[in-house]
Amino acid sequence: MTDAHRRLGPVVRLAPAKLNLTLAVLGRREDGFHALHSVMVPLSLADQLSLAPAPPGGVDSLHRTGLDAGPIEHDLVLRAIRHAREALPRGPFGADPAPPVAARLDKRIPVAAGLGGGSSDAAAALDAVLELWAADVETERRAAIAAEIGSDVPFFLARGPALVEGRGERVTPLAWLRPGEEAPGVLLVTPAVRLPTPAVFAAYAAGHRAGGAARLASEHLAAELRDGRLGTRDLLARAAVLASANDLAAAADAVEPGLLPFRRSLVRVLARPVGLSGSGPTHWALYPSLDAARAASDALHAALAAGRLALPGDAPPAIHAVSILAAHGGPS
Ligand code: C5P
C-alpha cells in the first residue's frame, strides 16, 4: 500500500436496521433459495461500525460492544472484509493482498430478529473497507459481492427504501413518500426469542403457509411508492393490509408457537395493526410520527408492567420507537 492509499483516521458508518413492509414468497428457486417480492425500508435504529488499518503483518480483527451477537468468527463484518479482499483487483496494492483491518462494532439492533442487523453491518463493512483501501470498485461489482455475503445485504447498499426481488439480489430503489412529509414512526417489539432465518424458510417449505395474499399487496405498494405519490397518512391507511402481507408469518408461528398469542395481545394493547418483519420475531406498528411511536412505547411499557402481554421467551421484549429513513449512509 502506498502512503497515498493509507487513511489516517478510521472510516465510520451507521448500519441501519430494516423493516419489511411487505414480504411475499413467490416460490422456491432451483438453487434452494426462495424468490421474494418485498418492500424494505431502512430505520433510524442502527449499529455503528468503524474500520481502521491494522498494524502491518497483523490479521483482520473485530471488537464488539453492545448486544450479544453470537460467535465473533461468524460475524458478517469479518466475512465482508474477506470477500472484499478476495474480490479486489490487484491494482491498488501491487501483488500484495489488501492489508489487514481492525473493526469495531457497536451492536444496537436486536440479533436474529428480522431486522437485518448482521446484513446491514456487512454492507457497511464492505463499503467502508473499500474506502479504507481507496479501492475503486464499480456499483455492480459491489452489489455482486454483497449478494455473495447474504440475501439481505444488497438492499443496504441502496441506502433507502427499495423493492427487493429474486433471493434479495435485485434491488430497485423506490421514490418513497411525497417530499416534505413527516417521516412515519414505527414501534418495534422484539420478543426474547431468536428465530434463525433458515428455520423459518424450512418451515415455509414444509407447508406452513397461509393465504399467499402478500404478493398483490406487495406489488401494489411498490407501484405506489415507485413515483412518490403517497403521503404518511396514506401509508398508515394501508397498515392493516401491510400487517397481513408477510408470507413467512405462518412459518414463524410454527417455529415459535408463542408468537401468535404474543401478536394478538400486542394488537389488543396497541389497538392498531401489527405486522411481522422478515422472518421475525420482531413485530411492528406504524405511527404518523416518531413522537407518536414514542408515546405508544410508553403505553406498551405500562401494559408490560401490568402483565397484559403474552410473552414468548423468558425475558422482557426489546421495545424501540424509531422512524423510517428516506435515505441513509454515505461517507462520514
Ligand atoms: O442469504 P442468507 O444467508 O441470509 O439466507 C439464510 C437462509 O435463509 C438460506 O440458507 C435459506 O435457507 C433461506 N433463504 C431463502 N430464500 C431467500 C433468502 C434466504 O430460502 N430469498
Side-chain angles (χ1 to χ4, degrees):
M1 185 167 65
T2 66
D3 282 347
H5 287 127
R6 186 182 289 278
R7 270 188 65 116
L8 295 177
V11 179
V12 180
R13 290 283 184 280
L14 279 178
K18 58 86 174 163
L19 186 70
N20 299 81
L21 287 174
T22 60
L23 177 50
V25 182
L26 308 184
R28 196 151 194 194
R29 307 170 7 142
E30 284 189 352
D31 61 7
F33 283 84
H34 290 81
L36 308 176
H37 189 287
S38 180
V39 173
M40 288 167 60
V41 293
L43 302 175
S44 57
L45 175 66
D47 293 340
Q48 186 170 318
L49 177 74
S50 125
L51 299 188
V59 292
D60 294 334
S61 66
L62 173 63
H63 176 76
R64 273 193 324 218
T65 52
L67 300 174
D68 176 14
I72 210 144
E73 61 275 17
H74 295 164
D75 199 290
L76 291 188
V77 165
L78 290 172
R79 191 144 124 213
I81 295 168
R82 270 202 311 275
H83 275 256
R85 184 179 286 112
E86 283 159 17
L88 268 191
R90 291 287 157 168
F93 311 104
D96 297 331
V101 174
R104 303 178 82 85
L105 177 64
D106 188 23
K107 288 291 299 177
R108 300 168 194 169
I109 305 171
V111 175
L115 293 172
S119 303
S120 186
D121 297 342
L126 176 59
D127 191 67
V129 84
L130 293 177
E131 182 177 327
L132 189 74
W133 291 333
D136 195 16
V137 176
E138 63 186 25
T139 309
E140 264 181 34
R141 184 80 190 105
R142 281 175 198 240
I145 302 169
E148 281 170 24
I149 300 167
S151 302
D152 276 347
V153 183
F155 162 72
F156 291 101
L157 292 183
R159 296 185 173 168
L163 166 63
V164 174
E165 296 172 279
R167 64 170 269 227
E169 78 283 9
R170 268 166 53 211
V171 179
T172 312
L174 296 168
W176 186 228
L177 301 176
R178 279 196 299 268
E181 292 281 310
E182 180 156 20
V186 183
L187 185 64
L188 299 173
V189 191
T190 309
V193 288
R194 288 183 181 182
L195 280 192
T197 304
V200 175
F201 273 107
Y204 179 90
H208 292 285
R209 46 187 101 160
R215 181 176 191 158
L216 261 184
S218 193
E219 287 174 353
H220 193 216
L221 183 70
E224 290 187 305
L225 294 176
R226 195 160 288 143
D227 38 322
R229 270 181 286 147
L230 293 189
T232 297
R233 276 168 171 277
D234 303 315
L235 186 71
L236 260 78
R238 286 152 181 74
V241 173
L242 304 181
S244 55
N246 184 336
D247 281 338
L248 290 180
D253 292 351
V255 175
E256 175 48 65
L259 283 189
L260 188 57
F262 168 71
R263 187 177 312 132
R264 287 187 176 142
S265 67
L266 208 49
V267 170
R268 266 197 308 275
V269 168
L270 299 176
R272 59 177 58 220
V274 170
L276 177 78
S277 185
S279 54
T282 298
H283 285 67
W284 55 263
L286 294 178
Y287 290 86
S289 64
L290 177 58
D291 279 348
R294 286 191 176 131
S297 158
D298 292 343
L300 188 60
H301 278 288
L304 189 60
R308 291 171 59 211
L309 278 186
L311 286 175
D314 48 12
I319 300 172
H320 291 96
V322 303
S323 55
I324 299 179
L325 303 177
H328 72 88
S332 55

